[in-house]
């Protein structure tokens, strides 16, 4: 397994959000974390990304406990794109993306070498920001910024990409473009991906597996077809749904928000 | 598109060359002007190791003005680089080298030394630059910074750490006020004059120590340029890009203590430069890439410190104005004008 958790618990100060969780990610797999607001998806992603330290249990990256590896060693294998980025003033897109090479550079290397430059150019091309590479990041639109930060993560040449709601600031077209790009990277480069996604239909369409989180625990995990059932959705989100199968995958329609009228299996009382 | 990048790099290189030229000009001017005016030609003659028109000019330049000009440049650079590190580390444009209590700690040390002489009935201690004052200020600054560094081990959030530093500052200021309340007027005057700041207090004998401490701090700051660039993205993203946050934070706080503490101990608490120069540097360079910004900030700090020193000594007169007032009086309008102009052009 590329990434694995064992009895993982964690959260903020004395308030555990994730409790006793087992999870694994295979090479080349796309796993999406879905769940209601406050269920612990982003906290889980931070624990997996070594941004938060576990209160109990362990996260293993390439079979080695992540907390025993240096931040630089982790960053060489895994990139993390937080939900909200700090927009740096006075940096161009190229300068921003170049920072993605930091984990691969010794401290005395100040400028990009040929390999770094190739990775930066490739990342900028992949997110289609070539024409904007010398623009200030602060002058970009929300969608362009998101793509610039994705390029920063890609420039790290990671094996695993962790993305916390990457489609938040994007319109429908850019949402699809971004996820198609990730799918291509997933297929062509064997990039393993974990995303937190609010949009269940996008999770169903692009993920190999879905992990449904409720109150810091796994409510269901498996293929989209196995996880996105009326019963699971009612239990986790408290919604009544209609699910149909289309050419691009499952489509989930939220019909009503009436948890009081449903039992915990999603069936009418 | 490549040409626009090259144009930006050329403009940045041009800025550095212009700043170096201005600094050299001001350096010569600061050696030439004072209560006795010396022609620039004679200044160059003395610097070349030859005899000027009047023998006394050689002594004036080498024993008094040269150490003062070098001190001003080093102090200005040290404070400016400290401010840059603090503003990036805490992601706060109002952070400066003194917000973590360095200045207050040094002030406490000096105030304690002043009061000690009162209590023990010792001879009144000399003004700024005396060994007692320097040691007292260094110990005071190191003591407060030690407390902040200990706090940094327990507090993960940089903003909280900033608040703790400010509170330490208030605490030490309160103790200083109490000490001054129980001091005699002569001792209060001694302390007050120290707070005005001066670049003329570092003697030829002390200069190598001052130079060594400041250059060490500047070298450490330069070596952290890449880490500072990562911190522009926020602590979370910096960490996921391989930065060991706790180590870098301690190193930078320690380095700011070294730079600002040294300057405060030798020259008194000099305000304004540390907060303003980094903003000025970013505005002129139009970049926050610390690999390019650091040299610009070093040069600007030295330039502004020399200008302030030139004005404070009122060329041709015997009176010397308080340096701290001059740095703010001259610097504020210039910096505000440049920043506003740059903002409106973007």
């Amino acid at each position: 397994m590329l990434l694995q958790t064992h009895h993982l618990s964690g959260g903020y100060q004395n308030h555990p959000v994730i409790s006793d969780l087992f999870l694994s990610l295979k090479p080349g797999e796309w796993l999406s974390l879905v769940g209601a607001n406050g269920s612990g998806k982003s906290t889980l992603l931070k624990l997996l990304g070594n941004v938060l330290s576990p209160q109990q249990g362990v996260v293993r990256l390439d079979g080695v406990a992540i907390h025993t590896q240096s931040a630089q060693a982790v960053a060489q294998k895994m990139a993390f794109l937080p939900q909200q980025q700090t927009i740096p003033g006075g940096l161009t897109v190229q300068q921003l993306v170049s920072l993605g090479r930091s984990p691969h550079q010794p401290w005395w290397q100040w400028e990009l070498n040929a390999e770094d430059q190739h990775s930066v150019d490739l990342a900028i091309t992949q997110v289609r920001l070539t024409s904007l590479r010398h623009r200030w990041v602060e002058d970009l639109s929300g969608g362009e910024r998101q793509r610039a930060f994705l390029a920063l993560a890609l420039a790290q040449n990671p094996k695993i990409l962790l993305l916390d709601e990457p489609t938040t600031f994007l319109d429908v077209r850019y949402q699809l473009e971004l996820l198609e790009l990730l799918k291509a990277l997933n297929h062509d480069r064997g990039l393993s991906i974990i995303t937190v996604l609010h949009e269940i239909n996008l999770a169903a369409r692009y993920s190999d597996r879905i992990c449904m989180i409720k109150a810091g625990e796994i409510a269901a995990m498996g293929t989209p077809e196995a996880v996105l059932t009326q019963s699971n959705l009612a239990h986790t989100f408290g919604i009544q749904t209609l699910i149909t199968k289309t050419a691009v995958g499952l489509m989930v329609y939220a019909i009503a928000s009436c948890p009081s009228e449903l039992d915990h299996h999603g069936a009418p009382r | 598109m490549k040409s626009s990048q090259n144009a930006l790099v050329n403009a940045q290189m041009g800025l550095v060359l212009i700043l170096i030229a201005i600094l050299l000009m001001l350096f010569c001017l600061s050696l030439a002007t004072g209560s006795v005016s010396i022609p620039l030609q004679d200044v160059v003659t003395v610097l070349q190791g030859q005899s000027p028109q009047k023998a006394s000019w050689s002594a004036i330049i080498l024993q008094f003005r040269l150490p003062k000009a070098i001190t001003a440049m080093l102090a200005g650079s040290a404070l400016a680089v400290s401010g840059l590190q603090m503003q990036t580390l805490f992601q706060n444009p109002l952070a400066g080298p003194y917000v973590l209590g360095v200045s207050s700690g040094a002030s406490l040390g000096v105030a304690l030394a002043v009061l000690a002489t009162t209590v023990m009935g010792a001879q009144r201690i000399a003004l700024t630059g005396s060994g007692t004052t320097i040691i007292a200020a260094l110990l005071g600054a190191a003591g407060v910074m030690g407390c902040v560094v200990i706090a940094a081990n327990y507090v993960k959030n940089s903003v909280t750490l900033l608040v703790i530093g400010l509170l330490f500052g208030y605490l030490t200021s309160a103790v200083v006020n109490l000490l001054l309340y129980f001091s005699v007027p002569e001792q209060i005057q001694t302390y007050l004059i120290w707070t005005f700041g001066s670049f003329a207090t570092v003697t030829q004998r002390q200069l190598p120590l001052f130079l060594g401490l400041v250059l060490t701090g500047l070298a450490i700051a330069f070596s952290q340029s890449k880490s500072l660039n990562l911190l522009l993205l926020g602590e979370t993203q910096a960490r996921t890009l391989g930065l060991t946050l706790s180590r870098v934070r301690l190193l930078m706080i320690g380095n700011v203590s070294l730079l600002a503490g040294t300057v405060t101990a030798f020259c008194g608490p000099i305000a304004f430069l540390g907060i303003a120069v980094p903003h000025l540097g970013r505005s002129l360079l139009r970049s926050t890439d610390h690999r390019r910004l650091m040299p610009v900030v070093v040069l600007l700090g030295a330039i502004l410190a020399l200008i302030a020193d030139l004005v404070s000594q009122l060329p041709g007169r015997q009176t010397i104005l308080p340096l701290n007032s001059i740095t703010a009086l001259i610097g504020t309008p210039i910096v505000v004008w440049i920043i506003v102009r740059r903002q409106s052009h973007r």
Side-chain angles (χ1 to χ4, degrees):
Chain A
M1 287 298 166
L2 198 54
L3 192 68
Q4 201 168 23
T5 71
H6 187 74
H7 287 296
L8 180 67
S9 298
Y12 307 94
Q13 281 141 14
N14 294 324
H15 173 61
V17 178
I18 298 296
S19 52
D20 202 30
L21 194 136
F22 289 80
L23 190 79
S24 61
L25 181 75
K26 287 179 260 179
E29 188 182 24
W30 185 330
L31 176 72
S32 285
L33 308 176
V34 300
N37 288 337
S39 59
K41 307 180 296 293
S42 293
T43 305
L44 174 57
L45 202 71
K46 284 178 187 168
L47 286 164
L48 295 173
N50 204 27
V51 175
L52 282 179
S53 298
Q55 290 166 343
Q56 280 182 342
V58 68
V59 177
R60 289 198 181 92
L61 174 62
D62 271 343
V64 182
I66 206 166
H67 65 269
T68 63
Q69 302 183 45
S70 71
Q72 188 175 10
V74 173
Q76 287 171 355
K77 300 171 200 160
M78 188 159 66
F80 181 91
L81 198 58
Q83 190 175 355
Q84 284 188 320
Q85 293 97 17
T86 304
I87 309 300
L91 281 189
T92 63
V93 171
Q94 169 141 320
Q95 286 171 330
L96 173 76
V97 178
S98 299
L99 294 179
R101 297 305 300 161
S102 296
H104 299 278
Q105 296 169 333
W107 68 269
W108 63 84
Q109 187 191 325
W110 275 34
E111 302 296 337
L112 300 180
N113 60 26
E115 188 189 344
D116 295 329
Q117 191 62 59
H118 173 72
S119 296
V120 169
D121 290 344
L122 183 65
I124 290 174
T125 309
Q126 281 172 330
V127 300
R128 297 203 285 148
L129 282 180
T130 309
S131 61
L132 301 177
R133 66 189 303 160
H134 299 306
R135 284 270 293 274
W136 302 110
V137 177
E138 69 212 86
D139 291 343
L140 300 179
S141 70
E144 289 164 346
R145 277 181 197 168
Q146 190 72 346
R147 285 191 280 155
F149 275 93
L150 178 62
L152 163 75
L154 293 178
Q156 280 179 252
N157 275 346
K159 289 187 199 172
I160 306 172
L161 189 54
L162 307 181
L163 303 123
D164 195 352
E165 300 193 29
T167 55
T168 302
F169 300 105
L170 306 180
D171 63 31
V172 181
R173 182 187 155 192
Y174 279 132
Q175 284 184 17
L176 286 177
E177 276 192 11
L178 182 87
L179 293 171
E180 286 295 332
L181 166 66
L182 291 173
K183 195 71 194 170
L185 291 167
N186 177 242
H187 271 207
D188 302 342
R189 266 176 49 180
L191 183 67
S192 303
I193 298 173
I194 301 182
T195 47
V196 169
L197 282 175
H198 262 305
E199 178 52 65
I200 294 171
N201 290 321
L202 291 176
R205 181 168 168 182
Y206 290 98
S207 316
D208 297 313
R209 279 194 303 152
I210 289 177
C211 177
M212 197 175 265
I213 309 277
K214 185 179 182 186
E217 293 178 356
I218 296 176
M221 184 152 62
T223 61
E225 289 77 10
V227 171
L228 298 179
T229 62
Q230 287 181 323
S231 156
N232 283 340
L233 289 163
H235 175 62
T236 307
F237 291 94
I239 52 170
Q240 201 174 358
T241 53
L242 178 68
I243 301 172
T244 60
K245 197 158 187 172
T246 70
V248 290
L250 288 182
M251 290 296 285
V252 177
Y253 300 94
I255 299 171
S257 170
C258 46
S260 57
E261 294 170 16
L262 302 170
D263 65 16
H264 69 281
H265 295 298
R269 288 182 196 277
Chain B
M1 202 50 75
K2 194 86 178 171
S3 62
S4 67
Q5 176 72 1
N6 288 342
L8 186 65
V9 171
N10 288 341
Q12 291 173 347
M13 283 294 291
L15 175 67
V16 170
L17 291 176
I18 290 169
L19 291 178
I20 290 173
I22 293 172
L23 183 63
L24 285 175
M25 195 185 73
L26 285 169
F27 178 67
C28 291
L29 205 59
S30 72
L31 297 183
T33 54
S35 54
V36 176
S37 288
I38 301 172
L40 273 174
Q41 198 179 351
D42 286 283
V43 169
V44 176
T45 305
V46 170
L47 290 178
Q48 286 172 338
Q50 295 164 0
S51 299
Q53 289 178 45
K54 289 185 185 174
S56 61
W57 288 354
S58 189
I60 290 172
I61 290 173
L62 294 176
Q63 288 174 23
F64 180 68
R65 291 186 187 171
L66 188 61
K68 189 168 73 128
I70 293 173
T71 302
M73 290 194 297
L74 288 170
S77 299
L79 292 175
V81 166
S82 301
L84 178 63
Q85 288 180 95
M86 293 294 285
Q87 286 172 12
T88 306
L89 179 63
F90 292 105
Q91 289 168 42
N92 189 326
L94 292 177
Y98 294 138
V99 292
L100 287 180
V102 178
S103 169
S104 310
S107 304
L108 178 63
V110 172
L112 278 170
V114 168
L115 185 72
T117 58
T118 312
V119 172
M120 294 185 296
Q123 199 180 1
R124 182 181 166 182
I125 63 167
L127 299 182
T128 34
S130 80
T132 315
T133 317
I134 290 169
I135 293 167
L138 271 178
L139 286 177
V144 171
M145 284 316 297
C147 296
V148 175
V149 166
I150 290 168
N153 279 326
Y154 294 98
V155 179
K156 301 289 179 203
N157 187 302
S158 287
V159 177
T160 311
L161 187 61
L162 197 65
V163 173
I164 289 173
L166 283 170
L167 291 175
F168 269 121
Y170 285 123
L171 184 72
T172 47
S173 296
V175 178
V176 167
N177 286 340
L178 276 175
L179 290 173
L180 291 176
Y181 182 76
F182 290 108
S183 299
V184 295
E186 290 80 11
Q187 305 295 357
I188 294 172
Q189 191 187 16
T190 303
Y191 174 79
L192 266 181
I193 290 173
W194 177 78
T195 63
F196 289 158
S198 170
F199 295 132
T201 50
V202 179
T203 62
Q204 259 184 328
R205 206 161 55 87
Q206 292 167 342
L207 192 59
L209 175 64
F210 184 67
L211 183 82
L213 290 171
V214 171
L215 289 184
T216 303
L218 290 180
I220 293 171
F222 268 80
S223 75
Q224 294 304 304
S225 296
K226 268 171 57 181
S227 301
L228 287 164
N229 278 350
L230 292 179
L231 283 167
L232 290 172
L233 305 178
E235 291 186 354
T236 300
Q237 190 104 45
R239 187 172 171 173
T240 62
L241 283 163
L243 196 72
T244 309
L245 207 56
S246 53
R247 183 175 56 79
V248 168
R249 202 162 60 158
L250 275 180
L251 182 65
M252 286 191 192
I253 289 173
N255 195 37
V256 168
S257 310
L258 171 70
L259 286 169
T262 301
V263 173
T264 310
F266 281 87
C267 309
I270 296 165
F272 177 77
L273 290 174
I275 291 182
V277 174
H279 291 292
L280 190 59
R282 289 187 205 99
S283 294
L284 290 175
L285 191 70
R286 298 190 65 207
S287 175
T288 49
D289 183 348
H290 288 77
R291 293 169 306 170
R292 318 270 182 265
L293 188 56
M294 200 72 83
V296 169
V297 165
V298 165
L299 290 168
L300 280 172
I303 286 171
L304 281 183
L306 276 180
I307 292 175
D309 187 50
L310 273 169
V311 176
S312 71
Q313 68 190 356
L314 293 173
R317 292 171 184 269
Q318 298 296 326
T319 315
I320 296 175
L321 296 175
L323 182 66
N324 246 332
S325 309
I326 300 302
T327 51
L329 275 174
I330 297 175
T332 307
I334 298 172
V335 173
V336 168
W337 178 72
I338 290 175
I339 291 172
V340 168
R341 191 169 148 264
R342 285 283 177 191
Q343 287 286 329
S344 60
H345 278 212
R346 292 193 79 166

